[in-house]
Amino acid sequence: MKLIFLGPPGAGKGTQAVGVSAHLGVPHISTGDMFRSAIRNETPTGLEAKRYLDAGELVPDSVTIAMVRERLAMDDCKNGYLLDGFPRTVDQAMALDQIDPPEAVVDINVPDERLLSRLTGRRVCGKCQGTFHISKLEDEHTCPICGGELYQRNDDQPETIATRLKAYHDSTEPLIDYYKGVTEPRLIEGNRLKTVNGDTKPEDVFKNILASLE
Ligand code: AP5
């Protein structure tokens, strides 16, 4: 299956993508993770992307589309993919429809007022990349899965979160209508959008996502 997770920063796309990609047997491709890895490895893409991530702004489409095009050409994408964080602009969505169109797009819906506390409280494991919330951790420095050290993402500060939310509303939210098939231009006819309530327990969100795909 070729699937996209849409939703604002902190909606739970990464959290849900781990279980859903394993369930469907397709690779979980997170453009945010790809950029963070490129930044750590100081690749040309990473050096270009860093200032955008630090500011909470979108990386230019040309860079992002080229990176995803290359990733989708890899062998493990032959039977599908789960894209998390891509596309984020109408131009990215149109490019994807030309490269390898998604069959379904799950919009994980969470009101803005819930997102700030989810993001400021997020901790990520530097070893296994697991994502947690401090409210659920006994020790906010240690990964409960592998014992690795937990850190806070640079862009999980309130000012940067505000910029990310604005980028979501300005550039990414229009994709809801794009995938409903109600806006011009469109390359593919029909409604590919499934909307799931993300403002509930993670295990219920998981069940609702699978139900929306049946
Ligand atoms: P990216 O890494 O994609 O960040 P994002 O979209 O802002 O999404 P997040 O990872 O912040 O949130 P999430 O929805 O995955 O939530 P999570 O599961 O972690 O992008 C980062 C940057 O990269 C962008 O700002 C941009 O610069 C660049 N970039 C990436 N893709 C790009 C593109 N296509 N074009 C241009 N630039 C791009 O959960 C969040 C927290 O909530 C966690 O603490 C979690 O434990 C908790 N939580 C999860 N589910 C629940 C629940 N059901 N109930 C309560 N808490 C929950």
Side-chain angles (χ1 to χ4, degrees), residues 128-181:
C128 72
Q129 310 305 322
T131 296
F132 309 94
H133 194 271
I134 43 171
S135 62
K136 305 271 191 273
L137 290 168
E138 276 181 26
D139 171 0
E140 69 172 271
H141 303 290
T142 309
C143 175
I145 309 281
C146 74
E149 195 175 339
L150 298 178
Y151 70 95
Q152 185 170 27
R153 267 171 49 176
N154 285 343
D155 59 352
D156 279 347
Q157 301 300 330
E159 320 75 61
T160 320
I161 292 169
T163 309
R164 289 162 61 200
L165 272 174
K166 184 170 182 331
Y168 169 76
H169 289 300
D170 291 350
S171 303
T172 309
E173 214 165 28
L175 293 182
I176 291 175
D177 279 347
Y178 179 87
Y179 285 117
K180 276 184 188 164

Side-chain angles (χ1 to χ4, degrees), residues 42-144:
E42 300 185 350
T43 68
T45 299
L47 294 174
E48 182 159 7
K50 186 174 182 334
R51 65 194 158 108
Y52 296 102
L53 272 86
D54 285 348
E57 291 165 3
L58 295 184
V59 179
D61 284 345
S62 55
V63 177
T64 310
I65 291 167
M67 182 176 79
V68 171
R69 185 191 297 277
E70 204 175 298
R71 180 66 186 86
L72 291 179
M74 291 183 181
D75 273 357
D76 63 340
C77 296
K78 290 232 159 66
N79 295 325
Y81 56 73
L82 195 175
L83 276 166
D84 156 15
F86 183 95
R88 266 172 145 104
T89 64
V90 170
D91 283 350
Q92 291 181 12
M94 292 180 71
L96 183 62
D97 275 344
Q98 284 166 323
I99 299 168
D100 197 3
E103 294 155 276
V105 178
V106 174
D107 177 34
I108 305 180
N109 205 308
V110 178
D112 278 12
E113 57 271 23
R114 295 269 196 233
L115 301 171
L116 183 66
S117 63
R118 282 195 186 189
L119 291 170
T120 52
R122 173 167 54 188
R123 296 294 180 271
V124 182
C125 176
K127 200 167 157 197
C128 72
Q129 310 305 322
T131 296
F132 309 94
H133 194 271
I134 43 171
S135 62
K136 305 271 191 273
L137 290 168
E138 276 181 26
D139 171 0
E140 69 172 271
H141 303 290
T142 309
C143 175

